[in-house]
Amino acid sequence: MEALLDPAAIGRGLRRIALQIAERGRGVDDLALIGIRRGGEPLARRLAALLLEIEGQSPPVGAVDITLYRDDAATALPNPRIGPSHITFPVDGRRIVLIDDVIYTGRTIRAALDAVLDYGRPQRIELVALVDRGGRELPIHPDYTVRAVELAPGQRVDVVERAGELWALVTAVGAKISEPPAPPEGT
């Protein structure tokens, strides 16, 4: 296991993304953030807090569960654990920023787009991915990302929360995730 992004790098990257989101939209008036369950939810909350700090107002934050929208739901999920989506604001005409922790094939994002569109017709949907690990099977690309990385076969990226801090870790496929590595001495 190797740390791809430590909490400080994630914090800097999310601040940069929040500034870009605010700049691209000339503020946050028509903006809403939607985190993809589970990995995108903590990132959406952190981006909302940063936008509040930067713009003086926080956009509404929601979450979407894509379990039933997956294209492999029937074969890969014999006993799916379905959580509720939580979108309490109107989607129609809004600028929606969809947020996930890692983008790989693009299939999760496709499912999330279908789920969001069931709530209405946004003016625009943009995509944040903390880590872009390549390997796309669908023509989907994030608008904002903290880190892009090419991984060897048999590796994956896991974003984990430990003591309230987020880490992006490169692990072997199937490996159990342990504690993130300790920071180097003197930091």
Side-chain angles (χ1 to χ4, degrees):
M1 176 176 50
E2 149 194 2
L4 181 64
L5 293 168
D6 63 19
I10 290 174
R12 285 189 304 273
L14 290 178
R15 177 170 292 284
R16 176 179 42 81
I17 287 172
L19 287 164
Q20 290 172 340
I21 289 170
E23 183 176 318
R24 184 178 285 180
R26 295 183 182 95
V28 296
D29 289 336
D30 65 343
L31 179 68
L33 307 178
I34 299 177
I36 299 173
R37 291 238 154 108
R38 288 174 290 270
E41 285 182 287
L43 298 172
R45 288 190 302 271
R46 288 168 191 244
L47 281 170
L50 288 165
L51 288 164
L52 174 62
E53 184 181 310
I54 293 164
E55 291 292 313
Q57 66 183 46
S58 178
V61 178
V64 67
D65 184 304
I66 56 114
T67 305
L68 294 178
Y69 293 88
R70 290 175 49 139
D71 59 6
D72 63 350
T75 57
L77 303 170
N79 296 313
R81 291 184 314 167
I82 301 165
S85 290
H86 184 73
I87 299 176
T88 60
F89 46 84
V91 168
D92 288 327
R94 272 193 199 265
R95 176 179 170 222
I96 301 292
V97 175
L98 192 59
I99 303 155
D100 204 6
D101 54 355
V102 179
I103 185 169
Y104 181 33
T105 64
R107 293 182 182 279
T108 296
I109 305 306
R110 188 220 42 90
L113 290 168
D114 287 346
V116 168
L117 292 173
D118 277 351
Y119 283 86
R121 188 169 192 270
Q123 172 196 357
R124 175 184 181 100
I125 299 177
E126 298 171 10
L127 176 61
V128 170
L130 185 67
V131 177
D132 179 351
R133 64 150 297 167
R136 221 72 84 240
E137 295 173 2
L138 298 174
I140 294 174
H141 188 76
D143 297 283
Y144 313 95
T145 189
V146 173
R147 176 92 187 263
V149 63
E150 292 293 323
L151 297 181
Q155 291 183 312
R156 61 179 284 134
V157 175
D158 292 297
V159 177
V160 298
E161 189 170 4
R162 298 286 194 263
E165 295 187 314
L166 294 176
W167 292 79
L169 307 172
V170 176
T171 60
V173 171
K176 186 173 192 256
I177 301 170
S178 60
E179 288 296 313
E185 290 289 322
T187 59

